[in-house]
Amino acid sequence: MHDLQKISEAFLIPADFSSAAPYGSGHINDTYAVNFNQAGTEVRYIFQRINHRVFPNPGKLMENIERVCAHTRSKLAGPDASRRALSLVPTRSLKNWHVDGEDHWRCYLFIEKARTYDAIENVGQASEAARAFGRFQGLLADIPGGRLFETIPDFHHTRKRFEALVRAYEADTRGRASAVADEMAFVLKREAETSLIVDAIADGRIPERITHNDTKLNNVMIDDATGEGVCVIDLDTVMPGTALSDFGDMIRTATNPEREDSTHLSKIHMRIEYFEAIARGYLEGTAEFLTDAERELLPLSGKLMTLECGMRFLTDFLQGDTYFKIHREGHNLDRCRSQFRLVESIESQMDDMRERIDDMVAVS
Ligand code: ADP
Ligand code: GN1
Ligand code: MG
């Protein structure tokens, strides 16, 4: 645990530190909820230490986030703008982040009366999350100041993720390759498909957009009272990308009744009514800009993002769990297996997904 009292002193918070505790279930950054006493009232803020192994240029990353927060906030101007867009709290030297040795820290206003979900609880959450992520893409379409910095190059280059996995398997630095023969066979059977979306980007069939790139369900705050997807969070990977990654990751995380690391493989599946709710919410949120070519690839994107995520977990398992935080032995392998089970479920429903998208487009 870091010394949050000392870190918080760097920020312009007109209140006295009272306590801090790790918060949330993100796999990458260190997140804390920090409580302060402000003239007798408890107030809290989110503090985050950026994972600089995952994000090797935290300064450039924070410049992106400054721009994204400022732009979304200005477009959502209104009495509740600070619940609808993340707000950075400045430091005493009026910067939007604080450097402490190797560590970069940032502080956000805490979005109260809303929460994130690690596993989806009802179909309304699925459409709300999709609408929020779709709207978010729309808000960023005209962000001024030039192309955003690529915080992780080739982040959703599924083909390169496949190649990285094969390299990790062949190198087998941790002696774990023999445990994953079935998983490797699963991936190798699908090798050709790993190029389908990246090729469509490369040959210009689908456009580059500013996208979120990490649209898992627990990266959107759902309002406690209204159930609305009130604020998109976790902005580290907001950068040039494809709408398909954002749609696909919602299918991965918001159609499956089980958590991402579930070992109850027989319970893992894509629920088509959740797919439909996400597609409806997303098509609404993106009605003004999504192209036909993008719409056509939506069902495939769910499968490929799930396969890609499973491959990333497997690569990390083979390399000794250095990227994603783990909380038990074999955690990344469990995550990989659950993702691959979900890929099979998505595969078995491809025609149904396509028909539903076609029907939605036809009546809109
Ligand atoms: P990571 O990159 O590690 O996933 P996140 O930015 O997603 O980190 O934060 C982790 C969790 O902390 C989120 O899932 C959410 O529950 C909570 N959280 C993050 N920012 C806020 C905020 N501004 N207000 C309230 N909760 C937040
Ligand atoms: C990570 O940061 P978090 O936990 O929201 C990862 C995503 C993965 C996800 C899998 C920067 O997301 O790409 O899809 O875990 N983020 C990064 O749960 O690698
Ligand atoms: Mg997150």
Side-chain angles (χ1 to χ4, degrees), residues 287-341:
E288 281 171 21
F289 57 86
L290 208 69
T291 64
D292 289 345
E294 287 172 308
R295 261 180 229 121
E296 249 164 58
L297 287 168
L298 293 177
L300 179 69
S301 74
K303 170 173 166 180
L304 289 190
M305 283 300 290
T306 310
L307 179 65
E308 180 188 290
C309 196
M311 293 194 296
R312 293 173 61 198
F313 289 140
L314 187 55
T315 306
D316 199 29
F317 174 74
L318 287 166
Q319 292 178 331
D321 309 306
T322 58
Y323 186 95
F324 297 104
K325 286 184 184 168
I326 57 163
H327 307 291
R328 59 178 189 251
E329 207 167 306
H331 205 165
N332 274 318
L333 185 54
D334 289 344
R335 290 171 176 151
C336 159
R337 288 181 173 147
S338 80
Q339 298 306 288
F340 288 176
R341 172 65 204 105

Side-chain angles (χ1 to χ4, degrees), residues 23-24 26-29 31 46 48 86 108-111 116 218-219 221 233-234 236:
Y23 195 77
H27 297 340
I28 304 293
N29 295 308
T31 302
I46 287 282
Q48 281 183 324
L86 277 178
Y108 287 121
L109 294 187
F110 200 107
I111 298 173
T116 54
N218 69 13
N219 286 331
M221 308 281 312
I233 61 167
D234 201 345
D236 297 320

Side-chain angles (χ1 to χ4, degrees), residues 69-264:
C69 289
H71 187 64
T72 48
R73 204 174 163 152
S74 73
K75 292 192 91 170
L76 294 168
D80 58 353
S82 62
R83 291 190 82 234
R84 296 189 170 273
L86 277 178
S87 312
L88 286 161
V89 176
T91 65
R92 292 183 189 278
S93 49
L94 300 182
K95 289 195 60 169
N96 280 321
W97 67 94
H98 168 63
V99 183
D100 179 45
E102 269 207 304
D103 293 335
H104 285 60
W105 286 88
R106 64 179 167 227
C107 173
Y108 287 121
L109 294 187
F110 200 107
I111 298 173
E112 299 286 359
K113 302 192 175 90
R115 55 166 288 213
T116 54
Y117 292 81
D118 291 337
I120 190 124
E121 293 183 351
N122 59 62
V123 77
Q125 291 172 345
S127 57
E128 278 303 322
R131 198 167 291 120
F133 281 124
R135 242 184 356 232
F136 183 78
Q137 267 174 19
L139 287 176
L140 289 176
D142 59 350
I143 187 168
R147 201 167 182 266
L148 286 173
F149 172 70
E150 286 186 50
T151 57
I152 305 180
D154 292 327
F155 190 50
H156 288 308
H157 196 299
T158 314
R159 173 75 205 176
K160 289 190 182 171
R161 295 290 189 181
F162 166 80
E163 286 162 8
L165 168 61
V166 171
R167 282 197 303 275
Y169 181 73
E170 283 169 357
D172 193 21
T173 53
R174 295 298 175 114
R176 293 177 170 181
S178 59
V180 302
D182 290 351
E183 287 71 25
M184 285 306 292
F186 183 95
V187 171
L188 287 167
K189 244 168 104 181
R190 292 160 179 82
E191 173 182 353
E193 287 168 284
T194 62
S195 300
L196 291 178
I197 289 184
V198 290
D199 286 352
I201 302 168
D203 65 26
R205 268 177 291 147
I206 54 176
E208 178 181 283
R209 301 187 184 285
I210 298 300
T211 48
H212 183 279
N213 293 304
D214 191 1
T215 54
K216 69 194 233 193
L217 181 68
N218 69 13
N219 286 331
V220 60
M221 308 281 312
I222 307 278
D223 189 277
D224 292 339
T226 64
E228 185 192 355
V230 69
C231 184
V232 165
I233 61 167
D234 201 345
L235 308 178
D236 297 320
T237 51
V238 177
M239 60 182 161
T242 155
L244 296 167
S245 317
D246 282 5
F247 183 81
D249 214 43
M250 289 188 264
I251 299 309
R252 180 180 81 78
T253 59
T255 64
N256 172 15
E258 291 287 298
R259 286 168 180 260
E260 181 182 71
D261 58 357
S262 169
T263 53
H264 301 121

Side-chain angles (χ1 to χ4, degrees), residues 256-258 262 264-270 338 341-342 345:
N256 172 15
E258 291 287 298
S262 169
H264 301 121
L265 295 185
S266 63
K267 294 190 186 160
I268 293 170
H269 64 289
M270 186 195 81
S338 80
R341 172 65 204 105
L342 187 58
S345 171

